[in-house]
Amino acid sequence: MSTYKKNSISLTGAVSLGTGVMIGAGIFALLGQIAELSGNFFPFAFIAGAIISGFSAYGYIKMSNAFPSSGGIAMYLIKSYGKGNVAASGALLMAFSMIINESLVARTFGSYSLQLFNVSNNSVWVPILGVILIVGAFLINISGNNIIERSSLTMAIIKIGGISIFAIGALWAAGFSFQDIVNVNNDSTYPITDYLGALALSILAYKGFTTITNSGGEIVNPNKNVGRAIIISLAICTIVYLLVAFSVSLNLTISEIVTAKDYSLAEASKPAFGKYGLWFTVGIAIVATISGIIASIFAVSRMTAMLTDMKLIPHKHFGMPGNIQRHMLVYVTVIAIVLTVFFDLSRIASLGAIFYLVMDIGIQWGILKNIRKEIKANFFMVLTAIILDIVVLSGFLWIKVSSDVTVIIVALVAMTLIFFGEKWFLKRSDNK
């Protein structure tokens, strides 16, 4: 298999990759955590998250129209900051954010699968099943782009259709009316930082649109279709998230959602559909998480392979056959497995949100400061994206300082190692 295949991914395939990552993690893994931070207002967190992600996506669409590339985020950073430490560190931050997302989805797969057997969510089988999923996704990825596109499209249709059926059925069973949207009753008072934390996680639920940019050089007519795919993916996911959020809120109390936060959709299916609803929901979750892992591994391996080709990150073959792209698939898979085994869902999601927001601020600042005129981006759209990211990140960090400072420490150590590790590597390469 060659490193890149031009025109090997259609517009439909690109949308499938984007929705695959977003729906795989967003609604199954994060809904319970968002509800825990925002109470009965949690469906509206997805609306606000979609708006904030829309402002961010504007810059990516402008960049993709000007510089379509299979390096995606890496290429955008290089165009903004030049081929150096800032671009390489930012790209690696994005790559780790995507790998973290893979472990988030993998553990979600384990949590939902065990609901069929009434096994505790603390069981050792959660990481074991997650590791099995990651290995399976790796095997599909080494099979080539055509296999990936066909499998992603098929699973996207199954999961979007299945989730929609679940959500509409649950809304109908609960006697939903539009008055329920207006009359939200929040029994508890939450500090503003908690709502900002919920927004940070909801943004993480949408960040999968960046997967599309990392396959830009392989998408048919990328100057137009990358942007179209991003817009379509965000629109589809927003509708799906809202349907599910309102259906869950009508079938479970907030305390019930929080108790079952790692598998809240499965729990919400019981009042409306009984055990058959549970089986159906778990089946859809399994399909969604499988497609999410496949799409994410596909995208991050492309980006890191490009960074390696450009001599921006170190690379060792370790005696493995094949090209750099295949080697990066192996490295990405191994890191995702380690995270799946040693981190729980809450901490994985927190790390992913911090990494992504920091990286996105860097992307937007690069556009604003260096290439805004070149790509014809609107100043106020980009500035708004930066301000929103900073506000949400600040609120989220404040929550973690008081509730789980370990996450902040791990994030700071990781970012420091990435930055200074890259600085050392690039200096060493220049000397050679």
Side-chain angles (χ1 to χ4, degrees), residues 2 8 23 98 148 182 196 212 227 237 252 283 291 298 312 349 356 359 363 367 377 395 423:
S2 61
S8 61
I23 295 177
M98 295 170 72
I148 294 167
V182 178
L196 291 175
I212 299 167
C237 288
L252 296 176
S291 65
F298 176 83
L312 287 175
Y356 172 72
M359 185 281 308
I363 285 274
I367 293 173
K423 189 172 183 179

Side-chain angles (χ1 to χ4, degrees), residues 28-142:
F28 288 101
L30 298 172
L31 188 147
Q33 295 184 51
I34 293 171
E36 186 176 17
L37 290 170
S38 55
N40 286 328
F41 287 110
F42 80 90
F44 298 97
F46 287 104
I47 297 176
I51 294 171
I52 295 172
S53 298
F55 277 102
S56 293
Y58 172 81
Y60 291 85
I61 291 170
K62 285 293 186 180
M63 294 280 273
S64 67
N65 290 343
F67 317 116
S69 163
S70 292
I73 304 298
M75 179 57 71
Y76 301 165
L77 285 162
I78 290 168
K79 290 292 184 180
S80 298
Y81 295 103
K83 188 178 173 183
N85 190 26
V86 174
S89 299
L92 275 181
L93 204 59
M94 182 61 192
F96 278 111
S97 172
M98 295 170 72
I99 296 170
I100 287 169
N101 182 74
E102 291 160 19
S103 59
L104 176 70
V105 174
R107 287 194 71 102
T108 302
F109 170 80
S111 296
Y112 272 83
S113 298
L114 291 179
Q115 298 311 300
L116 293 175
F117 308 100
N118 198 26
V119 177
S120 168
N121 195 47
N122 295 323
S123 169
V124 70
W125 281 103
V126 172
I128 290 174
L129 290 172
V131 169
I132 291 172
L133 172 60
I134 292 172
V135 172
F138 165 78
L139 295 175
I140 292 175
N141 265 275
I142 62 175

Side-chain angles (χ1 to χ4, degrees), residues 114-283:
L114 291 179
Q115 298 311 300
L116 293 175
F117 308 100
N118 198 26
V119 177
S120 168
N121 195 47
N122 295 323
S123 169
V124 70
W125 281 103
V126 172
I128 290 174
L129 290 172
V131 169
I132 291 172
L133 172 60
I134 292 172
V135 172
F138 165 78
L139 295 175
I140 292 175
N141 265 275
I142 62 175
S143 301
N145 285 9
N146 291 333
I147 302 270
I148 294 167
E149 179 173 351
R150 284 198 296 270
S151 63
S152 295
L153 177 58
T154 302
M155 286 187 279
I157 293 171
I158 292 172
K159 72 182 179 183
I160 292 172
I163 292 172
S164 299
I165 291 170
F166 155 77
I168 293 170
L171 290 171
W172 177 78
F176 174 77
S177 67
F178 286 102
Q179 192 66 26
D180 294 321
I181 298 177
V182 178
N183 296 330
V184 174
N185 179 25
N186 206 17
D187 296 328
S188 303
T189 302
Y190 293 79
I192 188 66
T193 50
D194 281 10
Y195 290 111
L196 291 175
L199 277 181
L201 293 178
S202 70
I203 291 170
L204 186 61
Y206 288 102
K207 85 171 187 67
F209 75 81
T210 58
T211 303
I212 299 167
T213 67
N214 291 333
S215 305
E218 295 161 289
I219 295 174
V220 176
N221 191 11
N223 299 78
K224 292 184 178 179
N225 282 340
V226 172
R228 290 172 180 171
I230 290 173
I231 294 169
I232 294 170
S233 297
L234 285 172
I236 290 173
C237 288
T238 301
I239 294 169
V240 171
Y241 288 169
L242 290 179
L243 282 173
V244 171
F246 281 115
S247 65
V248 170
S249 68
L250 289 176
N251 283 280
L252 296 176
T253 64
I254 292 300
S255 61
E256 288 172 333
I257 296 172
V258 172
T259 300
K261 64 181 178 181
D262 291 347
Y263 50 91
S264 51
L265 261 70
E267 197 68 22
S269 68
K270 293 177 182 178
F273 305 110
K275 66 178 181 179
Y276 299 107
L278 173 65
W279 296 345
F280 178 78
T281 306
V282 171

